[in-house]
Amino acid sequence: MMCIKKVLVSALMIAGVAATAQAEKLTASDGSIETSLCMAAANGNRAVMHNQIKASGYSAKFVAKNIACNGENILAFVEKHGKRSEVMINMIERGEQQVSITDIAQHQAQK
């Protein structure tokens, strides 16, 4: 019985490693700015993505809302196909957030 458990555990571990090794390999179809952004986002490297956004002339907000990769929004694309997808999504989505600062003391003094 113990031998069967060892065999099953080993088989599951091998299957997990094989699935990881067979990760989808993405290739760029052209050299467009949009494709470069998609590839950088899927790569999972924040510094590269930051530099690609900066080089594109787009804002992170624009990228999050308007860039499509293989027909789907860049955030959905990264979630499906990207490395470190959570980190990349948080980085790109951060560009969508707007921050407003109100000076409470000044606001109350005006009343």
Side-chain angles (χ1 to χ4, degrees), residues 1 5 9 41 43 71 78 84 94 103:
M1 186 69 167
K5 286 183 182 179
V9 170
N43 185 28
V78 169
R84 299 180 58 210
R94 197 169 11 140
D103 186 345

Side-chain angles (χ1 to χ4, degrees), residues 41-52:
N43 185 28
N45 185 321
R46 285 176 45 132
V48 170
M49 186 62 189
H50 173 77
N51 290 335
Q52 284 292 339

